[in-house]
Structure formats: C-alpha cells, structure tokens
Amino acid sequence: APAVDIRGITKRFGPVTACDGVDLTLRRGRIHGILGENGAGKSTLMKMLIGLVLPDEGSICIDGVPQQIHSPLAAASLGIGMVHQHFSLVDALTVWENVALGEAGRLNPASIRNRIGEIADHYGLIIDPDARVGNLTAGLRQRVEIIKCLRRDPSILIFDEPTSVLTPEESVQLFSSLRQVVTEEGRAVVLVSHKLDEVLHATDDISIMRQGKVVDRLLAGDTDAPTLARGMVGRDVSLRSESAALGVLVIDEDGAKALDSNASPDAVPAVSSPPILTI
C-alpha cells in the first residue's frame, strides 16, 4: 500500500474552494513534488494531511488504513511530520528548547543537544543549540524548523517551500541528504514548491495544482521546465521573461547564470530600454 493515499479531498473557506476533489498518492522511497502558483491549494492540502485543517469531503489512508487526522498530534502518531513555510518558533527560547517544545516526560538537555548535533551533521544544517532563536537570521531559523521536524523521526516528511530562505548551497545539501534517507530508509517525502528547477532536480514524481485541483501528474525524468510552467499557469510561458518568478535557473557553459535558450529572444526588452522602476 502507498504511504499516503488521498481521495477526493475538498476544503472550502466560505465561497472559496481551496482544494477541489484532490487525489494524491505518496510512495515510500520516493520524493513527490507538488507544484503550483501561490494560491493553488498546495499548503491547504498538506495542512489537511498534518491535521491543521479538517477536510469537508474525501478520505486519507496511511499505509492502506483509513485515518481521521484531527490534529498535528494525531499526524505525529502516524509518523507524519511537516516543515512549515512560516516559522512556528518561540523567539525567547534557545534552539534546543524550541526543538524540545511539546515533548512529553522529563527533558534531558544534554541528550537533546547531542541529537541536534547529529541531525545537523547528517543533513548539513549546522546550528548552535544554545543560540537564542530571536537572534537568528531567517535562514538559521529555517534550519531550526527542519531539525525540529526531523528529531521526531517521521516516516512521512512534508516540506512546504523549505528553500525560500536557504542559500543555494544549503538547498543542495538538504536535497542530497533527503535523497539519502529516502533511498536508504524508505521514507516518503513531499516537496511543496513553485520553483521549477527545484522540483525537476529534487523529486521523482510531480503533481501540478492549479485553482485547487491536480491538473497533471508527471515523472520528473520525463518532463521539462516549459511543460511544468504550462501546467502551473494554464498557458504557454516565456521562461526568459518569467524565469525569476518560476524559479528557473539555467547554467551556461562558463558556469554563469543564464536564461532559457529556447525562449523567444523578443520576450525580454533590450538592455537599452528605459527602466520600468527605479528605487
């Protein structure tokens, strides 16, 4: 049985249907990319899987067993963990205190610090466990969120826009480590993103969402950036003019950043054109 089998999940917020009859299958040993524009329903779908939002319709099966996931605690008991796009940390506490927050029983600070060090070394997410979270940069706070999730050793991992505040080098290290645990430990990983290159290079399966529905399902090895962009927005897209918004990065022969060579040369104004906005 698949790790997660979602059927006909629907969620409405007043007149807005955030998710409309969504089907999704996640399998162990694979990274599944969920791609879509802002507002496509990606995060809402994952929040229903983690128990933060209750669906209006549909079903969720975990390892072939139907489940009612009413809270994050219930999700955690099923081996589901999520790294959220928006931080849920307490600024006044240290890194290790944030990581331990919510744990049952007597705390062992030394053991927690050691575990943070092990996870940091394994995933390339080096952090001082005694640093106060309120003094950390956004990138370091993201590391704390990821370590907080990984410490509970979930078998189903959800990453919601995890690289939005990571450097390219940190992102590469994270995905390399994820690939290792997926392959060696048989975990199921979900990567929610709107970045085409990130999804193409880091995932095995791709589901594209648009206006609350899954509009396409693809294998990462059988598709390309223009196809994904077309699925996201429902029309042909010039990757030359919209590459930044869609997270497209092409490296030329000299190792420099370049735009998609297949795009129309007319898509970008000449360098001599007057600026649209000056700050």
Side-chain angles (χ1 to χ4, degrees), residues 12 70 81 85 122 134 138 141 143 151 158 162 171 178 184 193 195 206 240 261:
R12 303 178 186 88
H70 293 293
Q85 180 180 7
H122 185 64
R141 291 185 186 211
R143 292 188 190 189
R151 180 177 179 253
I158 304 167
S171 300
L178 282 179
E184 296 178 358
S193 181
K195 299 180 180 179
I206 301 173
R240 179 179 288 270
S261 59

Side-chain angles (χ1 to χ4, degrees), residues 1-3 27-28 63-64:
R27 301 192 180 279
R28 298 194 183 279
D63 293 320

